[in-house]
């Protein structure tokens, strides 16, 4: 177990409200804990097939994501191994990316699927708010989800993460959760058809 290569993967799009949950959990993990050499935390965003090289190198993968389980909003639920592809097949990584179920299927086809797969998912409350941050109910589940990930590492993989001596930035400052959510303009000032700073260049 000490030689297992473990990937902790946050999936989601921070531009679409609760869709960014997985990324925000990974952001907290990386900022607050020291990771040993055989454990990698990755903001997988909506990269789909571009994640293959990272997944191929991993013996075990812990995925953190916002998942439509059909449960009350903000419900945390864990799945393992064969349960994971089934639930991920019900949704796409984003509107424009290859479904993560297909990514896992391709890993199987290539004979390099991780031997252990864990999913820590939250039932989202809102996904259709472009430019929005996590809703309060989902934001309140970031810390519990992080605790679940730490528990999985300790109980199933024998890895205890020591806290960092100083907080280290993982996400670029402009899109860190605090800066991103605090910097959102009020609805009356926002350009809902796009970014006014970009559109100004086309006039």
């Amino acid at each position: 177990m000490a030689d297992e290569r473990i990937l902790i993967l946050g999936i989601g799009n921070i531009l679409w409200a609760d869709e960014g949950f997985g990324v925000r959990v990974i952001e907290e993990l990386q900022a607050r804990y020291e990771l040993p050499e055989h454990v990698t935390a990755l903001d997988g965003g909506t990269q789909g097939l571009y994640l293959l090289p990272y997944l191929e190198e991993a013996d075990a993968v812990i995925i953190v994501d916002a998942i439509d389980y059909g449960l009350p909003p903000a419900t945390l639920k864990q799945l393992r191994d064969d349960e994971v592809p089934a639930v991920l097949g019900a949704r796409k990584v984003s509107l424009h990316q290859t479904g993560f179920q297909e990514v896992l299927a391709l890993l199987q086809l290539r004979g390099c699927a991780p031997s252990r797969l864990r999913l820590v998912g939250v039932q989202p409350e809102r996904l259709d708010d472009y430019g929005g941050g996590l809703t309060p109910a989902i934001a309140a589940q970031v810390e519990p989800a992080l605790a679940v990930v730490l528990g999985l590492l300790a109980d199933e993989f024998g890895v205890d993460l020591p806290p960092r001596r100083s907080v280290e930035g993982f996400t670029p400052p402009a899109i860190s959760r605090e800066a991103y959510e605090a910097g959102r303009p009020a609805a009356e000032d926002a350009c809902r058809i796009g970014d006014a700073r970009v559109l100004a260049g086309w006039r």
Side-chain angles (χ1 to χ4, degrees):
M1 289 178 62
D3 295 330
E4 274 189 310
R5 296 162 298 180
I6 303 168
L7 174 64
I8 310 168
L9 178 65
I11 296 176
N13 187 339
I14 64 169
L15 299 178
W16 289 103
D18 293 338
E19 172 72 10
F21 177 78
V23 174
R24 295 313 188 189
V25 173
I26 297 302
E27 181 181 325
E28 287 295 312
L29 173 71
Q30 178 68 22
R32 291 162 50 184
Y33 292 93
E34 296 280 357
L35 302 182
E37 188 174 335
H38 68 291
V39 177
T40 301
L42 179 66
D43 169 2
T46 59
Q47 297 181 67
L49 288 173
Y50 290 102
L51 296 173
L52 272 175
Y54 301 98
L55 291 160
E56 287 176 338
E57 294 176 358
D59 298 307
V61 177
I62 300 173
I63 301 167
V64 187
D65 197 3
I67 299 288
D68 185 5
Y69 293 115
L71 297 172
T75 302
L76 279 178
K77 183 175 181 180
Q78 297 182 57
L79 297 175
R80 54 196 302 125
D81 298 326
D82 292 342
E83 297 172 323
V84 178
V87 74
L88 289 179
R91 66 183 290 274
K92 294 293 184 181
V93 174
S94 80
L95 295 175
H96 309 291
Q97 297 292 333
T98 302
F100 203 73
Q101 184 188 40
E102 284 81 4
V103 174
L104 295 175
L106 186 55
L107 288 169
Q108 291 279 2
L109 184 66
R110 293 163 64 95
C112 48
S115 59
R116 291 196 275 178
L117 196 57
R118 303 292 182 265
L119 172 65
V120 180
V122 71
Q123 176 72 38
E125 183 173 29
R126 187 172 186 186
L127 299 175
D128 61 351
D129 182 16
Y130 181 70
L134 301 180
T135 58
I138 304 307
Q141 293 301 319
V142 169
E143 198 67 28
L146 178 56
V148 171
V149 171
L150 295 174
L152 286 172
L153 287 171
D155 298 340
E156 298 200 21
F157 302 100
V159 177
D160 291 302
L161 300 184
R164 289 190 182 277
R165 295 181 179 178
S166 60
V167 175
E168 178 176 302
F170 174 67
T171 306
I175 57 171
S176 67
R177 183 176 161 202
E178 182 178 353
Y180 177 75
E181 294 184 356
R184 190 186 193 203
E188 57 270 19
D189 298 326
C191 179
R192 295 306 186 201
I193 62 170
D195 190 323
R197 295 168 295 179
V198 175
L199 295 174
W202 293 91
R203 292 173 183 164

